[in-house]
Amino acid sequence: MSALSGCALPAPTSGKLLSTGPTPVSEAFFEVRARHTDLVSVRVLFPSDAEGHPARPADGAPLPGLVLVHGGFVPPEGYLWLAESLAARGYVVAMPSHPLDLPLSAIDNGHFARELLTSPPEDSLLKGLVHPSRIAVAGHSLGGVVSAKLALDGGFAALALLASYPDPADAERIPSLTVPSLSLAGELDCLSELSRVREEASRLPAPSVLAVLEGVTHFQFTSSDQRDVEDGCAPTVPLGTAHERIAEVLSRFLHAALAGQGTGADDIRQVPGTEVTAR
């Protein structure tokens, strides 16, 4: 993997400010070479100052990272709300693109995004920003299927499945998973049905945690739940509430898992409207 210059995007030294507040968040775009001939666009969100430069802790320690894989036919932009929320909590979030917005079309793009965080271009804003052994992978729906494959291949410190479960074709490999995992499900999900998510979550090796969000549907993990409503699968909690709870559960899991403290199940139980099963 290498970042490109010339005809491709130069490696940025600062980002575009997305939000202000106690911890401003900025975004930047990188292009990395993959499979010798391909270019993969990776959007990176990170805590920043008001000028779009990375904000580091007072002790200068590197930050935890997350590779976030979008769902099938849902562009990465559909998860900007989640990436921004996590970046405001101190995470560097890398969102790789995939041809036709189909993660299965280029599974290893997630690995290239991780390598961008661990071995960034010289003089770029990412230089020394991310702790190489504190990077998780997460994905929604089909992106979760891909995220499980990426975690099984190694290189990640935690796995989060958002309204998702591993590919049945990987069933024989699942016992070899050695990192903490989170299965985060919506109670009213009509696509990744709760019964299936529960069954598959029970197969994940410990430490693992299943968190079920009351009244939440499949597309409430994205920027709009309109498809749920149109399909007769309406949620019973507002989209904003669902977003708050999804981000809170995921951040509590990441905080524990990337610090080597298990799954954070006890902290997750404190999130309103959440049913938790820990193993």
Side-chain angles (χ1 to χ4, degrees), residues 39 42 57 95 106 126 135 154 164 180 185 199 203 218 229 269 271 273 279:
L39 285 177
V42 181
M95 306 171 70
L126 289 175
I135 301 175
S164 185
E199 178 183 357
R203 305 179 195 278
H218 192 78
V229 175
R269 286 190 177 94
V271 179
R279 298 176 55 249

Side-chain angles (χ1 to χ4, degrees), residues 188-191 215-239:
L188 302 182
D189 193 323
C190 295
L191 292 180
V216 171
T217 53
H218 192 78
F219 286 101
Q220 286 194 310
F221 286 81
T222 74
S223 58
S224 172
D225 55 14
Q226 186 60 36
R227 283 185 60 181
D228 288 319
V229 175
E230 292 173 353
D231 292 343
C233 190
T236 58
V237 298
L239 182 63

Side-chain angles (χ1 to χ4, degrees), residues 46-47 54-57 60-65 90-92 128-132 134-135:
F46 55 94
R56 301 171 183 266
L63 301 173
Y91 295 89
V92 179
L129 186 61
V130 179
H131 195 300
R134 297 183 64 205
I135 301 175

Side-chain angles (χ1 to χ4, degrees), residues 183-188 194 198 210-217 220-221 236-238 241-249 252 265-277:
S183 295
L184 180 53
E187 177 194 23
L188 302 182
L194 181 55
R198 285 189 189 277
L210 167 65
V212 180
L213 295 174
E214 178 183 339
V216 171
T217 53
Q220 286 194 310
F221 286 81
T236 58
V237 298
T241 300
H243 282 180
E244 291 173 5
R245 294 175 179 177
I246 290 167
E248 192 62 34
V249 170
R252 292 185 184 205
D266 288 341
D267 286 338
I268 293 172
R269 286 190 177 94
Q270 305 309 311
V271 179
T274 306
E275 172 200 322
V276 174
T277 305

